[in-house]
Amino acid sequence: MRVLVIPHDMQLGGSSINALDLARAVRERGHDVRVLARGGPLRDRLAATGLPIVEAPEQMSMRPSPAVLRAVRDTVRRHRIDVVHAYEYWPTLEAYLGARGAAVVGSIMSMGSLPPYVPPVTLTLGYGDLHDEVTAQRGTARSHLLEPPIDTDWDDRATVDLDAFRAAHDLPAGPPTFAIVSRLARSMKQESIERCIDAVPALDPELPGIRLLVVGGGSAEEDIRRRADKTNADLGRRAVILTGPLDDPRAAYVCADVVCGMGSSVLRGMALGAAAVVVGERGFTEPVRPDTIPVFDRLGFYGVGEGLDPAADPLPGMLLSLFQDADRRSELALWSAELVRGRMSLKRQTDRLLKCYEAAIADRRPFAERGRERANALGQLVAYKGSELRRARRLKAARTRTPGEGAAGHG
């Protein structure tokens, strides 16, 4: 097969890393794979794979982007592409509108229901609830479960130089350590990172010397750094260590007794032999254990709670129980690594993905026969854009309204 892969972006995030890992694995199975990519932190990793790169437009003033559509269309024609595989919502729509003559597969790892503008293409979904929802809407032929792939050959403790990492970041062995590896983004991520930071002083009386590694960079980095600096000042020691983004964060996972976070990040920590706690949004907190796996089967390794009272955050208690029971922590670490190797390995997920490609090719119809389908997709897009514009106008009006406005009829 000739495949064009379109990552969501080239930032150090789970979806884009998944895209590159699967592209490389599909190429290793003997297929012709190209990647449509802009600049970004993952560009060097992509170049190191040897996969041919198709330059994507750097500037996009709107989505879907006409420039991306042209790039997809031209690449499909020039290289006689069989399948265009796009990741997340806008790239999937751009692939659908631009890939005349090729089958389209969209991979959705994002949380929540599909936006109405996602076109009727073959989809892979990253967790059970979304897969079931999409299957009910679109049928089994166009809906496939594909959990985040973890390269368990790479994410192997035996391949990690922990001593070099400790020396580079001045992290002597000994103190109890937990870690979160994440984009330091305001959306979805900031709450979980700040809760991990706040857990350090809460745990310090019971676990003197406990420390937290925060690995990553992003829009919330300044806020997070201020919080970490305050925690360190209050404790009078270097308790929260921000390493910045790391191209290879494996040693940070291995340095940790417990890994916190969500999604692919938690799974990588588990593959590297750490016990794990999923810290989601609005207070969601759940350790990863045999009895909690049904929760993650439905939600992915993520969750949204009912809200959080910071004074009653369950995270410190969960961490304390893990740190105080070394035998149980070791059992969970071994079980976690076996779970990821057996269920989420890159090899296993590549097998599934190739079947999705075959299904998409079998479902492919000539471009000229899909006129009504395209018109419906564009109609959904116009309706969505219109609703977003109206919502933005309402929010702007609410921000500019004076305190007395809107009270007519009450005196």
Side-chain angles (χ1 to χ4, degrees):
M1 283 182 283
R2 293 178 292 273
V3 182
L4 175 64
V5 173
I6 310 177
H8 172 60
D9 55 30
M10 295 301 287
Q11 302 303 311
L12 286 166
S15 176
S16 297
I17 292 172
N18 294 342
L20 298 191
D21 283 347
L22 284 167
R24 172 174 52 82
V26 169
R27 192 266 307 273
E28 290 172 356
R29 301 291 182 90
H31 301 282
D32 181 355
V33 182
R34 300 169 191 276
V35 179
L36 183 72
R38 303 197 300 274
L42 285 175
R43 186 64 181 245
D44 289 345
R45 182 183 297 195
L46 171 57
T49 67
L51 288 163
I53 299 173
V54 179
E55 297 295 336
E58 290 294 337
Q59 301 297 325
M60 291 181 289
S61 58
M62 61 181 295
R63 304 297 296 269
S65 164
V68 172
L69 266 60
R70 288 192 295 272
V72 172
R73 181 195 62 204
D74 293 347
T75 304
V76 168
R77 286 177 176 174
R78 184 178 306 115
H79 299 287
R80 296 181 296 131
I81 298 296
D82 297 305
V83 179
V84 180
H85 183 186
Y87 286 77
E88 307 307 337
Y89 303 139
W90 288 121
T92 297
L93 180 58
E94 288 161 343
Y96 172 76
L97 295 174
R100 301 187 179 193
V104 175
V105 172
S107 284
I108 309 299
M109 299 291 182
S110 301
M111 301 299 145
S113 297
L114 293 185
Y117 60 78
V118 174
V121 299
T122 298
L123 294 176
T124 77
L125 297 314
Y127 59 99
D129 279 355
L130 183 58
H131 173 253
D132 290 351
E133 178 184 325
V134 174
T135 298
Q137 296 170 353
R138 304 188 178 201
T140 57
R142 290 184 172 178
S143 176
H144 304 265
L145 182 65
L146 188 74
E147 294 177 298
I150 305 299
D151 186 349
T152 51
D153 291 333
W154 175 254
D155 288 320
D156 181 340
R157 292 181 74 92
T159 66
V160 176
D161 187 345
L162 183 57
D163 291 339
F165 177 79
R166 289 192 188 280
H169 296 280
D170 189 20
L171 296 168
T177 303
F178 65 115
I180 183 165
V181 180
S182 173
R183 287 181 295 111
L184 307 190
R186 298 189 189 283
S187 175
M188 290 183 67
K189 310 292 187 180
Q190 185 169 357
E191 176 198 318
S192 62
I193 299 165
E194 291 183 343
R195 289 177 60 203
C196 287
I197 293 172
D198 292 346
V200 173
L203 290 167
D204 185 71
E206 297 288 341
L207 299 169
I210 188 167
R211 64 191 177 192
L212 166 67
L213 304 182
V214 179
V215 179
S219 58
E221 185 168 353
E222 185 177 338
D223 292 346
I224 289 167
R225 190 170 296 280
R226 279 197 298 267
R227 203 179 197 98
D229 288 346
K230 182 180 185 306
T231 298
N232 290 340
D234 290 346
L235 292 176
R237 61 183 179 87
R238 190 166 168 259
V240 181
I241 299 97
L242 274 63
T243 69
L246 299 177
D247 288 337
D248 180 2
R250 290 177 299 165
Y253 289 116
V254 174
C255 189
D257 303 291
V258 180
V259 168
C260 294
M262 61 182 76
S264 298
S265 174
V266 157
L267 291 173
R268 291 192 69 188
M270 292 167 61
L272 286 158
V277 178
V278 172
V279 185
E281 294 188 273
R282 291 182 54 79
F284 181 92
T285 319
E286 194 74 74
V288 185
R289 303 183 306 229
D291 62 305
T292 61
I293 277 296
V295 174
F296 300 118
D297 288 343
R298 308 311 316 158
L299 301 176
F301 287 77
Y302 171 78
V304 179
E306 300 295 326
L308 177 68
D309 176 0
D313 190 343
L315 179 59
M318 289 183 185
L319 291 170
L320 182 62
S321 67
L322 284 169
F323 278 111
Q324 289 183 331
D325 191 340
D327 290 342
R328 178 59 172 156
R329 194 172 67 244
S330 296
E331 290 172 5
L332 286 173
L334 289 172
W335 170 83
S336 296
E338 290 173 1
L339 174 75
V340 176
R341 283 196 297 266
R343 174 169 148 181
M344 290 99 171
S345 72
L346 181 60
K347 179 184 181 301
R348 184 182 181 93
Q349 303 304 68
T350 303
D351 290 341
R352 291 179 173 177
L353 180 60
L354 289 171
K355 291 179 181 178
C356 293
Y357 287 173
E358 292 167 0
I361 290 172
D363 190 45
R364 178 173 51 182
R365 289 175 291 117
F367 181 79
E369 294 181 10
R370 293 187 281 125
R372 180 178 296 179
E373 188 180 87
R374 292 196 308 277
N376 182 61
L378 289 170
Q380 294 281 3
L381 174 64
V382 170
Y384 173 81
K385 291 272 190 178
S387 68
E388 288 295 289
L389 179 60
R390 290 190 295 273
R391 186 171 72 90
R393 286 173 175 167
R394 287 195 299 269
L395 290 173
K396 182 178 180 181
R399 286 195 297 268
T400 58
R401 185 179 298 136
T402 60
E405 288 181 323
H410 295 276

